[in-house]
């Protein structure tokens, strides 16, 4: 799982429409999108469109995943552009056509995406033409100067690969005893930070080639507060985050039951890093070609906050819901590593742990998302 090539073929949100699918569990991203929508609208409104600017505008959604979140973002972009063009054309319906590229790794559930897309764009009021583009957004995906708007929503916290240093058994960067970097040794976190920086610069270099001068790049990614050494902003959120306590306990259960060796657990790492605004700004400065219009750290509440009393009535249901939420982003990668049987066992243990731990259940959890609006210059 450590190489970028292998990750590209397994990393994805859980496809389909079952209880553990992204379609059924995308509450967090949906809340983040809602908070960032005013900033996205403002960014699209800032595009300098004049009469005769283009009869064909191209939009790309990178790391699109599947479900309502994908289409809500694109709908916002297209609608704001249509309204802007209508004003330029004196209030008449613009003749400009829109082409939208939905891009994600080949492991994404494009079948579900295309079924939804077909229903959406082939109606009587077609708003845009849609196409799929499989591939990593850490590489070039489009010809030079092709795109007018690029959005990357809740995806850039996922790295292209696990840092090589972290895979060196016995080194200071070997992430022993856990599967993510929250609470890890500083050498582990530093290795992730280096990989994160390299990835973001590479992403920006590719987009610099693909976006027209004056075009907009809008990014929304998992982040953390400025100055925070921890990936998670506060102790309660750190305790309850899907990647931390319950996840480590579930993996340890597999070790304790001699279903896997410790080394098997220690060799698995979740490829996620939450950046600060300073880290993002530094990468943009080094890349060049973009002017940041606005950058904001958004605090997003977990969808189960404030429902503890209700959840206590059926802790088993809560445990299953929490496990489904964790599977949404991790199941495909875990299953490629452990196989289907051990993966089912892992998330069953996760559900059992979640249901039994009343302390964690009663905590509130918050996530930080960083929204960035930039113009190609």
């Amino acid at each position: 799982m450590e190489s970028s090539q292998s990750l590209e073929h397994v990393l994805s949100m859980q496809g389909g429409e079952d209880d553990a699918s992204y379609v059924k569990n995308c509450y967090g991203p949906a809340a983040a999108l809602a908070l960032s929508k005013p900033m996205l609208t403002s960014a699209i409104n800032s595009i300098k469109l004049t009469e005769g600017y283009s009869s064909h505008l191209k939009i790309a959604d990178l790391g699109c995943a599947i479900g309502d979140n994908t289409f809500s973002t694109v709908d916002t972009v297209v609608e704001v552009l249509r309204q802007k063009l209508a004003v330029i054309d004196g209030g008449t319906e613009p003749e400009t056509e829109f082409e939208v590229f939905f891009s994600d790794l080949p492991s994404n559930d494009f079948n579900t995406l295309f079924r939804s897309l077909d229903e959406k764009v082939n109606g009587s009021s077609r708003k845009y033409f849609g196409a799929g583009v499989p591939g990593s957004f850490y590489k070039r995906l489009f010809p030079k100067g092709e795109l007018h708007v690029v959005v990357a929503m809740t995806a850039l916290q996922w790295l292209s690969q696990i840092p090589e240093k972290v895979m060196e058994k016995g080194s200071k960067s070997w992430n022993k005893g856990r599967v993510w970097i929250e609470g890890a040794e500083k050498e582990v976190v530093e290795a992730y930070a280096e990989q994160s920086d390299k990835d973001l610069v590479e992403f920006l270099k590719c987009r610099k080639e693909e976006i027209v001068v004056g075009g907009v790049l809008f990014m929304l990614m998992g982040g953390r507060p400025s100055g925070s050494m921890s990936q998670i902003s506060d102790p309660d959120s750190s305790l309850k985050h899907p990647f931390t306590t319950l996840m480590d306990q579930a993996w340890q259960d597999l070790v304790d039951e001699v279903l896997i060796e410790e080394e098997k657990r220690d060799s698995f790492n979740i490829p996620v890093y939450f950046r600060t605004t300073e880290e993002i700004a530094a990468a943009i400065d080094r890349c060049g070609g973009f002017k940041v219009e606005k950058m904001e750290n958004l605090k997003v509440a977990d969808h189960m906050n404030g429902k503890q009393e209700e959840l206590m009535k059926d802790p088993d249901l809560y445990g299953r819901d929490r496990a489904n939420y964790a599977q949404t982003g991790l199941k495909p990668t875990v299953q490629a590593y452990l196989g289907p049987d051990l993966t089912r066992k892992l998330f069953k243990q996760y559900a059992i742990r979640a249901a039994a731990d009343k302390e964690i259940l009663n905590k509130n959890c918050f996530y930080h998302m960083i929204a960035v609006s930039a113009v190609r210059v």
Side-chain angles (χ1 to χ4, degrees):
M1 289 308 102
E2 68 269 17
S3 72
S4 58
Q5 185 175 12
S6 60
L7 266 181
E8 282 185 26
H9 290 91
V10 300
L11 180 62
S12 69
M13 299 299 99
Q14 178 65 14
E17 297 181 2
D18 64 16
D19 289 343
S21 67
Y22 182 76
V23 169
K24 295 284 183 66
N25 294 278
C26 53
Y27 317 104
L33 292 176
L35 283 176
S36 66
K37 185 175 179 179
M39 188 170 160
L40 173 62
T41 300
S42 177
I44 303 306
N45 266 321
S46 72
I47 295 179
K48 301 295 188 291
L49 295 179
T50 57
E51 192 171 353
Y53 177 83
S54 177
S55 61
H56 182 191
L57 294 178
K58 297 182 179 181
I59 301 156
D61 182 353
L62 307 186
C64 63
I66 55 176
D68 292 340
N69 289 346
T70 299
F71 299 119
S72 68
T73 297
V74 167
D75 286 347
T76 297
V77 173
V78 171
E79 187 56 34
V80 172
L81 285 172
R82 288 173 67 88
Q83 291 175 5
K84 188 176 180 69
L85 287 165
V87 172
I88 293 172
D89 294 342
T92 60
E93 182 69 18
E95 297 182 2
T96 301
E97 293 185 320
F98 299 93
E99 186 174 9
V100 177
F101 300 100
F102 296 94
S103 180
D104 211 322
L105 294 173
S107 48
N108 186 55
D109 184 2
F110 279 103
N111 286 334
T112 295
L113 175 67
F114 290 154
R115 281 196 297 270
S116 303
L117 182 63
D118 183 64
E119 294 169 3
K120 187 169 186 63
V121 304
N122 286 338
S124 58
S125 58
R126 176 193 288 270
K127 294 182 178 180
Y128 57 82
F129 296 89
V133 180
S136 169
F137 54 40
Y138 293 121
K139 300 175 183 177
R140 284 285 302 278
L141 294 166
F142 302 94
K144 288 186 176 182
E146 185 79 2
L147 303 173
H148 301 92
V149 178
V150 172
V151 294
M153 312 299 275
T154 69
L156 277 164
Q157 66 272 11
W158 294 92
L159 304 180
S160 68
Q161 65 180 69
I162 300 299
E164 292 180 4
K165 294 178 182 178
V166 175
M167 303 307 298
E168 296 172 1
K169 184 182 178 183
S171 72
K172 291 184 177 180
S173 302
W174 177 251
N175 195 19
K176 184 174 177 59
R178 55 175 53 83
V179 295
W180 193 43
I181 59 172
E182 179 69 1
E185 298 295 329
K186 68 179 181 65
E187 290 84 1
V188 179
V189 179
E190 287 170 356
Y192 264 72
E194 290 174 11
Q195 184 65 50
S196 166
D197 183 64
K198 177 182 176 182
D199 281 348
L200 185 55
V201 169
E202 200 59 38
F203 172 88
L204 292 165
K205 285 180 178 178
C206 293
R207 304 299 81 78
K208 183 168 69 171
E209 295 293 320
E210 297 165 352
I211 300 175
V212 301
V213 172
V216 165
L217 171 63
F218 191 90
M219 302 176 286
L220 179 66
M221 67 188 84
R224 69 185 198 275
S226 298
S228 172
M229 301 304 292
S230 169
Q231 284 284 287
I232 313 296
S233 59
D234 63 88
D236 285 358
S237 296
S238 179
L239 190 67
K240 197 171 184 176
H241 192 280
F243 296 168
T244 57
T245 311
L246 297 172
M247 184 62 64
D248 285 336
Q249 290 173 349
W251 280 87
Q252 186 61 46
D253 287 341
L254 297 189
V255 174
D256 291 344
E257 294 182 32
V258 201
L259 295 172
I260 61 171
E261 298 291 333
E262 278 193 18
E263 186 175 335
K264 182 78 171 177
R265 184 267 315 279
D266 296 342
S267 297
F268 182 85
N269 292 275
I270 298 172
V272 165
Y273 181 83
F274 295 145
R275 303 175 179 93
T276 63
T277 53
E278 289 81 4
E279 288 173 321
I280 296 169
I284 294 173
D285 286 344
R286 277 202 310 285
C287 175
F290 290 100
K291 178 186 176 185
V292 175
E293 296 291 300
K294 189 174 183 181
M295 190 182 311
E296 189 173 344
N297 192 320
L298 307 172
K299 189 174 182 180
V300 183
D302 187 277
H303 66 287
M304 293 185 180
N305 286 3
K307 300 179 181 178
Q308 284 85 346
E309 187 174 336
E310 177 185 342
L311 296 170
M312 286 287 285
K313 296 176 182 177
D314 192 345
D316 290 339
L317 177 60
Y318 164 76
R320 290 194 297 273
D321 286 348
R322 206 69 194 171
N324 286 338
Y325 192 54
Q327 288 182 79
T328 294
L330 294 179
K331 185 178 179 180
T333 309
V334 173
Q335 187 160 295
Y337 186 71
L338 289 180
D341 292 340
L342 283 176
T343 299
R344 280 192 292 271
K345 174 68 173 178
L346 176 73
F347 287 107
K348 181 180 179 181
Q349 290 303 118
Y350 190 107
I352 291 170
R353 290 283 190 171
D357 197 324
K358 302 301 188 295
E359 180 186 3
I360 292 181
L361 189 155
N362 280 303
K363 302 289 186 185
N364 283 326
C365 183
F366 295 90
Y367 310 99
H368 283 262
M369 304 293 294
I370 296 176
V372 185
S373 169
V375 175
R376 177 71 172 89
V377 294

